[in-house]
Amino acid sequence: MPPSPNIGIVGSSGSTQGSGRGENDPSNAGSAEDLARKKKIEETVMIGAGVVAGAALVGFLMYGLASASGEKGKKKMMKAPGRGGSYILRDEFEEAPAAYFRNLRHDDN
């Protein structure tokens, strides 16, 4: 009995459905509806990327403001007495000012 014409027979040419061209085939340009859908997806992705970038920028600015207002981690500096305008940590000077001046006289000799 010969095969019925309603039954798809797959031969050497591939599938019986479609033209055999893949979605990435440049000759398969697509319909206007497909192009509009692709454009809408591209616009949505661009908007999403903009939102993510904006959120990252806001987060970075908030971190900068928060770290600038809390000076707990920053060490205060002061001009080093007798050193011609160089700077030293204030905490180290205040811990032992006599030792600082002793070392200053020692360094001059």
Side-chain angles (χ1 to χ4, degrees), residues 24-70:
N24 296 330
D25 188 358
S27 64
N28 188 13
S31 67
E33 183 178 308
D34 288 342
L35 293 175
R37 184 171 46 88
K38 288 179 183 178
K39 185 175 180 180
K40 183 67 176 174
I41 290 171
E42 288 174 357
E43 289 174 356
T44 303
V45 168
M46 293 300 287
I47 290 171
V51 168
V52 169
L57 180 63
V58 167
F60 179 73
L61 291 175
M62 295 295 289
Y63 174 76
L65 289 174
S67 64
S69 64

